[in-house]
Amino acid sequence: VQLVESGGGLVQAGGSLRLSCVASGFTFDDYAIGWFRQAPGKEREDVSCFVRGDNSTYYEDSVKGRFTISSDNAKNTVYLQMNSLKPEDTAVYYCAAPGEAQYGSDWCPYSWRYDYWGQGTQVTVSS
């Protein structure tokens, strides 16, 4: 399984970015993709999750109403649209996936549930 993120960059506060995570190598269709982020000197934190099996979604409280996760199944790509960005959103963003099919979203925030990780993409929001 390979996960490749793209779309990071430098943006001013209030701006938008769209991150992409292209997934390959899964032997099943009902995989799920989560987004996590890690800022310098801080622990990795959960951001959002999309579950292909039942179209469940999850958002961490600080991004609700600003970030939207979606999937283009034909392209095996999950997007994270980030609007109204704040300087505190600055971090390296990673997409990740469990190694087996998942349903529902209660499990999404727990990084130990994920087996595969991308290399990360830097998001910097200037004030």
Side-chain angles (χ1 to χ4, degrees), residues 14-72:
S16 299
L17 285 173
R18 188 178 77 160
L19 305 184
S20 300
C21 176
V22 180
S24 62
F26 284 104
T27 59
F28 52 93
D29 292 332
D30 291 347
Y31 61 83
I33 297 291
W35 285 96
F36 290 77
R37 64 187 181 186
Q38 188 165 20
K42 296 187 177 181
E43 292 193 357
R44 182 172 55 194
E45 63 176 2
D46 57 289
V47 176
S48 184
C49 170
F50 183 89
V51 183
R52 285 186 59 166
D54 57 9
N55 291 323
S56 295
T57 59
Y58 160 82
Y59 297 96
E60 193 272 333
D61 285 346
S62 69
V63 307
K64 284 181 180 176
R66 300 189 297 124
F67 291 10
T68 302
I69 195 167
S70 62
S71 176
D72 184 333

Side-chain angles (χ1 to χ4, degrees), residues 2 26 31-32 39 47 54-55 69 74 80 83 92 100 115 121 124:
Q2 187 175 21
F26 284 104
Y31 61 83
V47 176
D54 57 9
N55 291 323
I69 195 167
L80 185 67
N83 298 330
V92 178
E100 57 187 18
D115 300 293
T121 185
T124 303

Side-chain angles (χ1 to χ4, degrees), residues 2 15 20 24-25 33 68 72 84-85 101 104 109 111-112 116 119 122:
Q2 187 175 21
S20 300
S24 62
I33 297 291
T68 302
D72 184 333
S84 302
L85 282 162
S111 61
W112 58 269
Y116 306 104
Q119 82 288 352
Q122 175 71 46

